[in-house]
Amino acid sequence: MCGIFGYKGISSDATNIVLNGLKKLEYRGYDSWGFASFQEGKIKIKKEIGRIPNYSTDFTSHLSIGHTRWATHGQVTANNAHPHTSKDKKVVAVHNGIIENVSELVEKYKLEKETETDSEIIPLLINHFMDEGYSFVNATKKACLQFNGSYAIALINKDSEELIAVKMGSPIILGIGENEFLLSSDIPALLEHTNKVVYLEDKDFVHINKHISISKIDSETKIIPDIKTISWNADSAEKEGYDHFMLKEIFQQPSSIRKTLDGLVENGFPSLNLKKIHLEDFKRITILGCGTSWHSGLVGKFLIESLARIPVDVEYASEFRYRNPIIDKDTLILAISQSGETADTLAALREAKRRGASVLSICNVVESSIARESDDILYTRAGPEIGVASTKAFTTQVTMLYLLTAQLVLKNKSLSENKVKEMIVDIKKIPELIELVLKEEKNIKVLANKLSKKNNALYLGRGIQFPIALEGALKLKEVSYIHAEGYPAAEMKHGPIALIDKNMPCVVIATKDILTYDKILSNIQEIKARGGEVIAIGTKGDFKLKELVDDIIYVPETRYSLTPLLSIIPLQILSYHVALLRSCDIDKPRNLAKSVTVE
Ligand code: AGP
């Protein structure tokens, strides 16, 4: 998704500060970039397609805004890159989001666009109102009230060198430094300058001139900013010696799970400290999510239904809101989102609330839009996840879902208190068991060598391992561009088995369990009988499985409901090393964005 970075302050190196900020936003995904810097009436604008080079400029400036563009409207060209300006270059703007009523506004105000983008309407309309005599501030407010859609905007008046930021639906954060102000699409890019931030709310209007003032686009009333101090340091958002953020985040999972568990267990029982949501009020749960967060939701369904005996639906957020969903007061909506900014999930959450539902969310980013619009929030404490491919977000989401399940079991008395205590004892052991799996990296690299030469792969699992097959396949396709499909193993014989030959490797999660282990051994034999190659994820010591397959990675034994937290680890490492061998851009895969803030 697009990234915004802005600076106004005491430093005369504003342009390089902004360029460095944009490079920290690269992980969000982009295809072009640009900046505009100002100094005593002079303006320097640069816009290019492709990656930001190690560019630095000697253009001194105290005021600059920059943008990384992930094309939504208009081709990937330098002309369509941001910043966009009014004809006289008096108003200069960068934008994240989508303005949906551009053609009506062009028609109504007889404006002339020069680019294919929706964003250009912003400086054009503001300048139009300034020509009618409105001040820069009031012209901007008037224009914003005309826009339909989502936007986070940073804009500058070239003559007065005023800086304005507006938030509506897309993220933008205000950083407050020593005699300097910064704007950014996310926290990590701010951390080397300040850890004092204001999470802007929808309709917030920030005006920075000699002083700063915050109001709403539809009001003059000044708002006292709620300044938060971020505990993350700049290093935690850096690679810390790993070649890629993805590998660092895979290896951070034991500590991320420990941090997520911290403070949520009391006297051996789950203690989620929900403020507004009373779990006993609900008879069913609808989980909303996208991508990896949808996969963790599937694990959650298995956990909650099998242990707490509460019916659970898991919905693609993008589908849910257009399905005229049946929501009533007995339904608890559970929105899962690492970034807390995914537009599809946010829109689905708003639709559910409009229909009267209560919303609990699981997010990794504090004060993100989804977190702020939920009735209650459970924060995973994975720390910033920079790699586009979610890894520690997934395992900390599953951890939180497991704790929620234990809490629901207690409420529903579907198992004894002792059983719940045993559940908690077992999840506390998971970080050290993951550490054992991480030690398998060398063996997994050997398998990556084989898989990296293939163009397709099937990932198969049953029961609680079916979502892991989906997640493992998503990891592989996201970072290595190999087409991979996740399937319930039993579904093989209903079609996919036609694909089996020596060129279709099958990754089968066949950890030992009383429910489906024998069945999945049969599925493996069906594959082998047709010349297929099988890489298995198995339970340590399962030599019977080893005899049946071509390659095996073992994971330690644990209770069935916790096996997903172990079986996903080798699949994350496998996809990382396959992508490395294929020289893919692992942290910033092509076409992908870390936070999909457009629908
Ligand atoms: C997963 O590796 C992808 N990055 C993507 O599917 C992601 O899970 C999805 O876009 C949802 O993001 P969220 O968790 O921030 O809402």
Side-chain angles (χ1 to χ4, degrees):
M1 267 332 66
C2 303
I4 288 175
F5 202 87
Y7 178 88
K8 180 174 174 73
I10 193 163
S11 167
S12 61
D13 199 20
T15 308
N16 291 323
I17 288 171
V18 164
L19 282 168
N20 185 43
L22 293 181
K23 287 186 84 62
K24 291 199 182 335
L25 296 174
E26 281 185 310
Y27 76 90
R28 297 167 64 83
Y30 71 107
D31 39 52
S32 54
W33 60 280
F35 70 81
S37 299
F38 303 77
Q39 190 63 13
E40 287 148 20
K42 287 202 297 297
I43 179 174
K44 179 186 179 70
I45 294 183
K46 189 176 185 64
K47 307 203 292 188
E48 288 188 5
I49 59 175
R51 292 265 181 250
I52 303 168
N54 290 325
Y55 179 96
S56 69
T57 170
D58 53 6
F59 179 76
T60 54
S61 167
H62 293 274
L63 173 61
S64 180
I65 53 175
H67 186 267
T68 50
R69 179 176 182 244
W70 189 79
T72 53
H73 292 61
Q75 295 297 309
V76 177
T77 64
N79 190 40
N80 287 337
H82 302 210
H84 290 293
T85 72
S86 52
K87 295 266 174 297
D88 57 8
K89 291 201 175 11
K90 191 159 61 174
V91 180
V92 184
V94 292
H95 165 230
N96 178 14
I98 295 181
I99 306 287
E100 294 170 348
N101 58 332
V102 173
S103 43
E104 297 92 280
L105 293 172
V106 166
E107 181 58 38
K108 181 177 178 184
Y109 294 101
K110 304 282 176 276
L111 303 171
E112 278 172 39
K113 290 176 69 242
E114 290 175 1
T115 75
E116 300 164 325
T117 69
D118 56 318
S119 308
E120 189 190 0
I121 192 71
I122 296 167
L124 292 180
L125 189 56
I126 292 168
N127 199 47
H128 171 85
F129 290 136
M130 289 173 76
D131 289 346
E132 286 185 350
Y134 289 90
S135 70
F136 179 48
V137 166
N138 291 334
T140 303
K141 289 195 172 190
K142 188 174 171 64
C144 286
L145 292 171
Q146 307 272 328
F147 297 145
N148 296 337
S150 64
Y151 50 87
I153 304 172
L155 64 149
I156 288 170
N157 176 329
K158 176 172 78 75
D159 302 334
S160 62
E161 297 199 357
E162 295 167 277
L163 173 62
I164 285 177
V166 194
K167 184 205 186 295
M168 176 59 86
S170 297
I172 188 164
I173 296 158
L174 171 67
I176 300 179
E178 292 296 317
N179 304 312
E180 59 187 18
F181 295 101
L182 302 103
L183 297 169
S184 174
S185 295
D186 75 6
I187 295 281
L190 290 170
L191 289 174
E192 71 176 90
H193 301 283
T194 180
N195 64 355
K196 302 266 181 291
V197 301
V198 177
Y199 292 95
L200 297 180
E201 303 269 352
D202 280 354
K203 292 190 175 181
D204 278 359
F205 184 95
V206 180
H207 177 222
I208 304 171
N209 202 354
K210 300 222 179 339
H211 306 289
I212 185 169
S213 74
I214 302 179
S215 56
K216 292 287 187 185
I217 52 174
D218 53 5
S219 152
E220 296 305 313
T221 313
K222 295 287 176 278
I223 299 169
I224 308 294
D226 176 10
I227 301 173
K228 304 274 188 188
T229 301
I230 299 298
S231 57
W232 300 342
N233 57 41
D235 291 347
S236 63
E238 293 307 320
K239 291 187 191 127
E240 290 175 349
Y242 288 91
D243 291 339
H244 296 92
F245 280 112
M246 182 180 179
L247 191 61
K248 170 187 167 186
E249 289 150 11
I250 289 171
F251 277 77
Q252 278 182 323
Q253 292 180 105
S255 68
S256 300
I257 290 173
R258 287 191 186 99
K259 285 179 194 150
T260 298
L261 290 170
D262 269 355
L264 297 182
V265 173
E266 227 170 287
N267 306 322
F269 288 104
S271 168
L272 298 184
N273 317 313
L274 295 176
K275 306 273 183 309
K276 289 190 202 158
I277 296 275
H278 305 288
L279 294 172
E280 60 275 12
D281 294 349
F282 303 97
K283 297 198 176 68
R284 62 186 271 252
I285 296 173
T286 295
I287 296 177
L288 304 175
C290 301
T292 287
S293 295
W294 183 76
H295 295 155
S296 64
L298 290 176
V299 177
K301 173 184 171 72
F302 204 95
L303 293 171
I304 295 168
E305 287 193 343
S306 61
L307 298 172
R309 310 306 293 154
I310 296 170
V312 178
D313 298 310
V314 185
E315 298 276 357
Y316 279 120
S318 54
E319 290 297 309
F320 173 81
R321 63 179 294 221
Y322 295 112
R323 245 189 350 88
N324 192 14
I326 299 165
I327 296 286
D328 56 25
K329 62 176 180 39
D330 297 334
T331 307
L332 173 64
I333 293 290
L334 177 58
I336 303 177
S337 175
Q338 185 286 129
S339 62
E341 298 298 346
T342 298
D344 287 324
T345 310
L346 184 57
L349 176 159
R350 286 171 175 166
E351 178 60 20
K353 287 188 80 169
R354 194 181 65 77
R355 294 170 182 254
S358 301
V359 178
L360 170 61
S361 291
I362 296 176
C363 290
N364 190 46
V365 178
V366 173
E367 299 270 340
S368 53
S369 302
I370 288 171
R372 289 208 301 269
E373 297 196 22
S374 301
D375 298 301
D376 242 320
I377 176 73
L378 291 168
Y379 283 121
T380 51
R381 276 177 288 221
E385 185 177 71
I386 308 298
V388 164
S390 274
T391 49
K392 61 181 183 175
F394 178 75
T395 48
T396 50
Q397 286 168 356
V398 170
T399 298
M400 192 61 84
L401 286 161
Y402 184 87
L403 285 177
L404 177 62
T405 302
Q407 186 94 58
L408 288 165
V409 167
L410 275 181
K411 299 270 181 206
N412 268 20
K413 298 185 175 42
S414 52
L415 293 171
S416 69
E417 290 195 356
N418 274 343
K419 288 286 182 204
V420 175
K421 281 198 154 190
E422 288 166 12
M423 287 176 67
I424 299 302
V425 166
D426 286 348
I427 191 157
K428 286 187 164 184
K429 292 175 185 165
I430 286 296
E432 65 198 66
L433 296 182
I434 291 178
E435 276 155 3
L436 295 177
V437 184
L438 293 171
K439 291 192 168 85
E440 294 290 320
E441 185 184 12
K442 251 202 303 308
N443 297 335
I444 298 168
K445 272 170 88 165
V446 172
L447 294 186
N449 218 357
K450 285 166 92 168
L451 202 50
S452 64
K453 301 179 180 66
K454 303 291 184 183
N455 296 316
N456 298 287
L458 264 182
Y459 281 63
L460 304 171
R462 295 180 81 122
I464 204 167
Q465 301 294 2
F466 164 47
I468 302 308
L470 294 175
E471 176 59 12
L474 175 61
K475 290 292 88 73
L476 187 72
K477 65 184 129 190
E478 266 194 292
V479 295
S480 75
Y481 313 147
I482 291 174
H483 173 242
E485 268 191 277
Y487 246 90
E491 273 299 297
M492 276 275 294
K493 53 189 175 298
H494 301 287
I497 201 161
L499 297 172
I500 299 301
D501 61 22
K502 65 181 180 4
N503 298 317
M504 175 61 82
C506 293
V507 179
V508 184
I509 302 126
T511 45
K512 269 195 162 175
D513 68 70
I514 45 166
L515 292 169
T516 60
Y517 176 69
D518 291 337
K519 297 278 186 287
I520 206 143
L521 292 191
S522 309
N523 298 143
I524 289 172
Q525 285 161 324
E526 289 156 14
I527 296 168
K528 294 303 296 169
R530 289 159 179 81
E533 203 179 314
V534 174
I535 297 171
I537 308 297
T539 304
K540 193 166 182 57
D542 185 352
F543 300 117
K544 181 180 173 189
L545 174 64
K546 184 179 169 71
E547 293 308 308
L548 289 177
V549 300
D550 301 276
D551 299 285
I552 189 165
I553 295 293
Y554 285 118
V555 296
E557 186 138 20
T558 184
R559 69 170 51 227
Y560 179 64
S561 50
L562 286 172
T563 49
L565 286 170
L566 300 182
S567 55
I568 189 56
I569 305 297
L571 304 185
Q572 294 170 341
I573 298 171
L574 182 63
S575 60
Y576 172 80
H577 282 291
V578 170
L580 204 56
L581 288 165
R582 291 165 69 99
S583 312
C584 295
D585 194 347
I586 292 170
D587 285 333
K588 303 187 284 292
R590 68 186 181 198
N591 308 337
L592 284 178
K594 180 61 185 171
S595 173
V596 184
T597 55
V598 291
E599 286 187 55

